[in-house]
């Protein structure tokens, strides 16, 4: 265990309650603005003090309200990189990085500190920028300088607060790869704050979804995306098709917004909502009621017809969540189409690859499948 966090902090009407543990992993705090992500980082570093609780990093107690332990930020050895990188504007790159070595000044000579700064600038490819000021650097160069300044002091934990927010999409792509390599080489706990689900999935091992000051869902990135468990978890991991439900039995529920009865692979339990990601919606062939009623379909599967607009597979008698639905709108994206399918009260989004989506037109009817194993069951 490299990070143990169990803290509470009140700021006005906002209450932060975070309880989690992680090892030498890259952990993402994923959530909307104002949910408490950045405040959590500030509590770890000592910029803010929790009202109560404990913070332990790599066996070192940073904060313990019961034992009256509260290390100063300088003694916590926590490396924090802010959104704007917080480089000192009146100092050169070299001077900025040299500042971070002062915590080692008691055991290191000036020459040793200077040599350490030169070494880390070389490793980050910014030696040629040593005499430059922050205003003379590009966004990517500023990020490299900020990372070098943070890592030169050999922190026990690395904290990154929206590290790509100041970069354009092209530079973000290249810097993300560099940062991923740096975080892996760091070899200790890394906590990254973000509201970008794609960024989080590419960079991190574990995800803590935060909502209104609390950890809503926590686990490996694969587990959280596969089964976000909560409404906020599904929304923050990018699910756009969500409907409240009426439970019929442990494996069937009525999606109220869509007017569809769905079979689920997971047990419905006490779920209040159902969801499916747009890319999990499947094309099931052109709609043809006569062929269906005659038990003849293009896929060669015999069927016994509709039940609540849902096709039944004659071989096992269970719903396969195949529906005939009307196209309400087709939206072109750079590399795909979003096809909106008319539901009872809300449409269902279906992401299709080009060029297929282009062939669809509003008011056209298509058959689609909402695979039972892709259905998300969610609590509020």
């Amino acid at each position: 265990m490299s990070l143990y966090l169990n803290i509470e902090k009140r700021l006005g009407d906002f209450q932060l309650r975070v309880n989690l543990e992680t090892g030498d992993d890259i952990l993402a705090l994923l959530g909307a603005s104002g949910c408490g992500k950045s405040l959590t980082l500030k509590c770890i570093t000592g910029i803010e003090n929790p009202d109560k609780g404990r913070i332990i990093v790599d066996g070192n107690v940073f904060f313990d309200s019961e034992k009256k332990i509260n290390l100063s930020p300088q003694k916590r050895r926590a490396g924090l990189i802010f959104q704007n990188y917080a480089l000192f504007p009146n100092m050169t790159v070299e001077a900025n990085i040299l500042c971070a070595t002062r915590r080692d000044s008691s055991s290191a000579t000036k020459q040793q500190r200077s040599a350490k700064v030169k070494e880390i600038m070389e490793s980050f490819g910014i030696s040629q920028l040593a005499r430059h000021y922050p205003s003379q650097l590009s966004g990517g160069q500023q990020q490299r300088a900020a990372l070098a300044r943070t890592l030169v002091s050999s922190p026990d934990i690395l904290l990154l607060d929206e590290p790509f927010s100041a970069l354009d999409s092209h530079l973000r792509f290249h810097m993300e790869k560099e940062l991923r390599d740096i975080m892996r080489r760091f070899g200790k706990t890394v906590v990254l704050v973000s509201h970008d689900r794609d960024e989080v999935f590419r960079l991190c091992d574990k995800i803590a979804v935060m909502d209104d000051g609390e950890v809503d869902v926590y686990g490996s990135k694969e587990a959280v995306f596969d089964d976000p468990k909560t409404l906020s978890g599904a929304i923050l991991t990018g699910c756009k098709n969500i409907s409240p439900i009426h439970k019929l039995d442990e494996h069937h529920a009525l999606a109220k917004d869509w007017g569809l009865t769905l079979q689920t692979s997971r047990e419905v339990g006490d779920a209040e909502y159902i969801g499916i990601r747009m890319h999990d919606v499947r094309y099931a062939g052109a709609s043809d009621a006569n062929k269906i009623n005659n038990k003849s379909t293009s896929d060669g599967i015999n069927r016994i017809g509709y039940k609540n607009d849902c096709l039944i597979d004659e071989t096992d008698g269970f719903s396969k969540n195949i529906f005939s639905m009307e196209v309400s709108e087709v939206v072109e994206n750079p590399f795909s189409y979003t096809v909106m399918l008319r539901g009872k009260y809300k449409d269902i989004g279906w992401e299709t690859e080009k060029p297929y989506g282009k062939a669809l037109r509003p008011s056209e009817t298509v058959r689609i499948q909402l695979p039972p194993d892709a259905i998300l069951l969610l609590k509020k």
Side-chain angles (χ1 to χ4, degrees), residues 83-109:
Q83 294 180 29
N84 61 0
Y85 310 130
L87 295 169
F88 298 115
N90 60 335
M91 292 185 180
T92 64
V93 168
E94 185 175 25
N96 263 280
I97 299 171
L98 189 61
C99 274
T101 66
R102 288 178 181 171
R103 68 172 60 178
D104 300 323
S105 59
S106 60
S107 59
T109 65

Side-chain angles (χ1 to χ4, degrees), residues 105-297:
S105 59
S106 60
S107 59
T109 65
K110 184 176 180 180
Q111 290 76 14
Q112 288 173 326
R113 291 167 54 208
S114 181
K116 194 173 184 180
V117 169
K118 285 182 170 57
E119 180 183 350
I120 201 161
M121 283 196 298
E122 287 177 7
S123 69
F124 277 85
I126 55 174
S127 297
Q128 74 281 10
L129 304 174
R131 300 286 181 249
H132 286 60
Y133 289 88
S135 61
Q136 298 174 298
L137 306 179
S138 67
Q141 290 168 339
Q142 287 185 39
Q143 187 181 72
R144 289 192 193 97
L147 280 164
R149 185 181 65 178
T150 299
L151 295 178
V152 75
S153 60
S154 302
D156 293 329
I157 186 170
L158 180 61
L159 310 170
L160 303 156
D161 191 356
E162 301 276 6
F164 303 113
S165 62
L167 306 180
D168 60 50
S169 58
H170 177 72
L171 185 56
R172 180 187 297 238
F173 173 81
H174 293 285
M175 289 307 301
E176 187 178 293
K177 181 182 183 305
E178 290 188 23
L179 182 60
R180 183 165 55 246
D181 294 340
I182 290 165
M183 290 191 299
R184 298 297 178 193
R185 291 201 308 270
F186 180 62
K188 301 177 184 178
T189 304
V190 178
V191 182
L192 181 146
V193 158
S194 178
H195 62 270
D196 186 323
R197 53 106 190 225
D198 294 335
E199 175 183 292
V200 160
F201 193 88
R202 289 190 296 265
L203 289 173
C204 299
D205 304 309
K206 295 180 179 178
I207 298 174
V209 176
M210 293 191 65
D211 182 47
D212 195 25
E214 298 187 4
V215 175
D216 204 31
V217 185
Y218 177 58
S220 70
K221 64 181 179 184
E222 293 85 3
V224 170
F225 273 76
D226 179 61
D227 184 14
K229 299 184 184 301
T230 68
L231 181 62
S232 64
I235 292 171
L236 287 164
T237 56
C239 184
K240 296 179 175 62
N241 296 321
I242 298 175
S243 169
I245 62 171
H246 170 68
K247 179 180 177 180
L248 301 175
D249 59 41
E250 283 303 335
H251 288 283
H252 294 87
L254 171 65
K256 297 178 182 178
D257 282 349
W258 309 329
L260 302 177
T261 298
L262 298 172
Q263 177 182 339
T264 67
S265 293
R266 298 182 177 101
E267 290 189 356
V268 176
D270 56 355
E272 302 169 75
Y273 295 85
I274 214 162
I276 186 166
R277 302 187 190 279
M278 292 199 300
H279 63 264
D280 283 330
V281 178
R282 296 287 181 262
Y283 177 60
S287 180
D288 189 332
N290 291 327
K291 287 185 178 181
I292 293 167
N293 290 334
N294 290 331
K295 302 181 182 180
S296 174
T297 62

Side-chain angles (χ1 to χ4, degrees), residues 4-9 43-46 48-57 60-72 76:
Y4 173 83
L5 195 61
N6 187 359
I7 56 173
E8 294 185 21
K9 171 74 174 178
C43 287
I44 294 173
T45 61
E48 293 279 355
N49 290 322
D51 298 327
K52 62 179 180 178
R54 300 176 75 199
I55 303 172
I56 303 174
V57 174
N60 300 317
V61 180
F62 283 10
F63 179 86
D64 190 321
S65 57
E66 290 186 359
K67 295 182 178 179
K68 309 298 181 184
I69 297 173
N70 186 13
L71 298 185
S72 68
R76 294 194 183 200

